[in-house]
């Protein structure tokens, strides 16, 4: 009995599903439904009413009648534009115009509609509005005898510890020291570069002056230049002469130290004259009669006695 009931229920569900599918197909064919939707929802248009009277009543309900110092609300016009801000605004406008003229890929938008320039104008307007509000607010506070400056004895506890602030201070000092070191190194490099350039310029100038002096001397020797012209140019050539004189002094000192050049190899070899000369040998006298026999009348003369020497001195004095 149970099995028969189960088969009957399954067949009923299949027939219901088939009937629902046929109904959906007929409705789709008639255009009553659309693909993907089982039910069409009608859109409702919502109307917004600008009820000014109710808004004003609501403002009166929430309005608090407080003194001005509690709200500090101000309604004023922007402060006048500073000259540097006006100049910067003009430069920005001209820059945008130049960019659009030189680049065809940028869309042709007027400067008034430029989002970049409008952003700068907007920020400038906020700044001017804040300036005017600050000036007027301070004046009204002074009229109400309200102090606007903090007293010198005011003490405020720091939110951060002294150890943390000390670390911040050390970090800032390290950064400043690094910047100062880098600036000093840059200056030293610049000075070295400038000194090299000056040395090169002085060398070129000296070489040019020397060349001019030599050319003038050649012209004077050939008779192409007169004595007067040479005397006039002599004053301008004093510096080059001094440089030449200094160079000669250096040359002489080097000659005294290192010699005059010439042949160096074989200078210490013996020659016929040096081999027959025994004057440098120890015990050999330089007198030409050194090798003669003393008995034959040669040799060195004997020294006279003391009495003879005293007599000779007395005669000289007379």
């Amino acid at each position: 009995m149970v099995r028969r009931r189960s088969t009957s229920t399954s067949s009923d569900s299949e027939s219901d599903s088939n009937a629902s599918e046929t109904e959906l197909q007929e409705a789709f064919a008639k255009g009553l439904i659309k693909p993907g939707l089982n039910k069409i929802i009608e859109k409702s248009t919502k109307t917004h009413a600008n009820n000014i009277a109710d808004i004003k009543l609501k403002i009166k309900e929430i309005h608090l009648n407080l003194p001005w110092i509690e709200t500090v609300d101000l309604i004023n016009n922007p402060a006048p534009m500073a000259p540097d801000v006006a100049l910067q605004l003009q430069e920005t406008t001209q820059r945008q115009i130049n960019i659009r003229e030189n680049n065809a890929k940028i869309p042709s938008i007027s400067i008034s509609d430029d989002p970049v320039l409008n952003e700068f104008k907007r920020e400038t307007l906020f700044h001017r509005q804040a300036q005017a509000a600050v000036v007027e607010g301070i004046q009204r506070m002074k009229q109400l005898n309200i102090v606007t400056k903090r007293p010198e004895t005011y003490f405020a506890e720091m939110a951060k510890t002294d150890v943390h602030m000390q670390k911040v201070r050390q970090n800032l000092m390290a950064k400043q020291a690094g910047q100062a070191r880098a600036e000093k190194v840059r200056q030293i490099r610049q000075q070295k570069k400038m000194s090299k350039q000056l040395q090169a310029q002085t060398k070129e100038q000296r070489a040019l002056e020397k060349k001019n002096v030599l050319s003038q001397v050649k012209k004077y020797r050939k008779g192409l230049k007169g004595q007067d012209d040479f005397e006039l140019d002599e004053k301008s050539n004093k510096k080059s002469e001094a440089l030449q004189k200094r160079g000669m002094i250096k040359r002489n000192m080097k000659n005294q130290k290192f010699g005059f050049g010439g042949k160096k190899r074989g200078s210490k070899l013996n020659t016929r004259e040096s081999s027959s000369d025994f004057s440098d040998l120890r015990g050999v006298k330089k007198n030409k009669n050194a090798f003669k026999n003393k008995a034959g009348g040669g040799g060195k003369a004997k020294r006279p006695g003391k009495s003879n020497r005293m007599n000779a001195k007395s005669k000289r004095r007379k």
Side-chain angles (χ1 to χ4, degrees):
M1 297 294 289
V2 176
R3 291 180 180 178
R4 290 179 181 178
R5 285 178 184 177
S6 62
T7 53
S8 62
T9 53
S10 61
S11 61
D12 292 337
S13 61
E14 289 177 358
S15 61
D16 293 337
S17 63
N18 293 330
S20 62
E21 287 179 0
T22 55
E23 290 175 358
L24 290 173
Q25 290 177 359
E26 291 176 358
F28 179 73
K30 293 178 181 180
L32 297 177
I33 61 173
K34 293 182 180 181
L37 296 175
N38 294 328
K39 187 177 180 180
I40 299 173
I41 300 173
E42 295 180 358
K43 293 182 179 180
S44 61
T45 57
K46 188 176 181 179
T47 57
H48 301 278
N50 187 14
N51 195 348
I52 299 174
D54 291 342
I55 293 173
K56 288 183 178 180
L57 288 173
K58 184 59 68 176
I59 290 173
K60 286 181 180 179
E61 289 178 4
I62 65 176
H63 179 69
L64 297 175
N65 192 8
L66 298 173
W68 176 81
I69 192 62
E70 296 294 335
T71 59
V72 197
D73 53 349
L74 295 168
I75 300 173
N76 49 12
N77 295 323
M81 187 179 294
D84 55 346
V85 178
L87 181 61
Q88 189 176 1
L89 182 63
Q90 184 179 359
E91 290 177 354
T92 308
T93 306
Q94 188 63 34
R95 194 182 302 114
Q96 292 297 324
I97 292 171
N98 296 335
I99 289 172
R100 280 169 172 74
E101 289 178 354
N102 298 326
N103 195 349
K105 295 182 180 180
I106 298 176
S108 59
I109 304 173
S110 61
I111 299 300
S112 59
D113 298 333
D114 189 357
V116 178
L117 196 59
N118 284 344
E119 184 70 23
F120 182 71
K121 288 181 180 178
R122 196 180 303 112
E123 294 293 335
T124 306
L125 184 62
F126 291 159
H127 183 68
R128 290 166 57 196
Q129 188 75 28
Q131 283 181 336
V134 168
V135 173
E136 186 177 351
I138 289 175
Q139 291 177 358
R140 293 184 66 174
M141 285 184 177
K142 287 183 179 179
Q143 292 175 1
L144 296 172
N145 295 325
I146 297 172
V147 180
T148 58
K149 290 185 178 181
R150 186 176 66 183
E152 296 180 356
T153 58
Y154 182 81
F155 177 76
E157 187 177 358
M158 296 291 293
K160 296 180 180 180
T161 60
D162 294 339
V163 177
H164 181 80
M165 296 305 297
Q166 190 69 19
K167 289 181 180 179
V168 173
R169 182 172 177 273
Q170 291 177 358
N171 191 10
L172 292 175
M173 291 179 66
K175 287 183 179 179
Q176 291 179 358
Q179 291 177 358
R181 194 182 304 109
E183 183 66 20
K184 189 174 181 180
V185 171
R186 188 187 66 80
Q187 291 179 359
I188 292 172
R189 290 178 180 173
Q190 191 70 17
Q191 289 176 1
K192 287 183 178 179
K193 187 176 180 181
M194 293 296 295
S195 63
K196 288 182 179 178
Q197 291 178 357
L198 290 174
Q199 287 178 1
Q201 289 178 0
T202 51
K203 286 182 179 179
E204 291 179 358
Q205 187 176 1
R206 289 176 181 175
L208 184 61
E209 290 177 356
K210 185 177 180 181
K211 186 177 179 181
N212 293 333
V213 170
L214 294 175
S215 64
Q216 291 174 6
V217 171
K218 288 181 180 179
K219 289 180 181 179
Y220 178 73
R221 288 176 178 176
K222 293 180 180 179
L224 299 176
K225 204 168 189 180
Q227 182 69 22
D228 298 334
D229 298 335
F230 190 77
E231 289 178 356
L232 289 174
D233 295 336
E234 188 176 358
K235 294 180 180 180
S236 62
N237 297 332
K238 285 184 178 180
K239 188 175 181 180
S240 61
E241 291 177 358
L243 293 173
Q244 290 179 359
K245 188 175 181 181
R246 189 184 302 172
M248 291 299 294
I249 293 171
K250 289 183 178 180
R251 182 70 268 169
N252 293 332
M253 291 176 65
K254 288 182 179 180
N255 290 338
Q256 291 177 3
K257 185 175 181 181
F258 302 107
F260 295 90
K263 186 179 179 182
K264 300 292 189 300
R265 188 173 182 180
S267 60
K268 295 184 178 181
L269 294 177
N270 286 331
T271 59
R272 183 177 180 181
E273 290 78 8
S274 63
S275 60
S276 60
D277 186 11
F278 297 97
S279 59
D280 295 336
L281 296 177
R282 184 179 296 178
V284 179
K285 298 180 181 180
K286 293 183 180 181
N287 191 3
K288 60 181 180 180
N289 297 323
F291 294 97
K292 290 184 178 181
N293 189 5
K294 294 181 179 180
K300 187 177 179 181
K302 292 183 179 180
R303 184 182 181 187
K306 185 175 181 181
S307 59
N308 295 333
R309 283 188 274 120
M310 294 297 291
N311 294 330
K313 285 183 180 179
S314 63
K315 291 179 180 178
R316 289 175 187 172
R317 289 174 183 176
K318 293 178 180 179

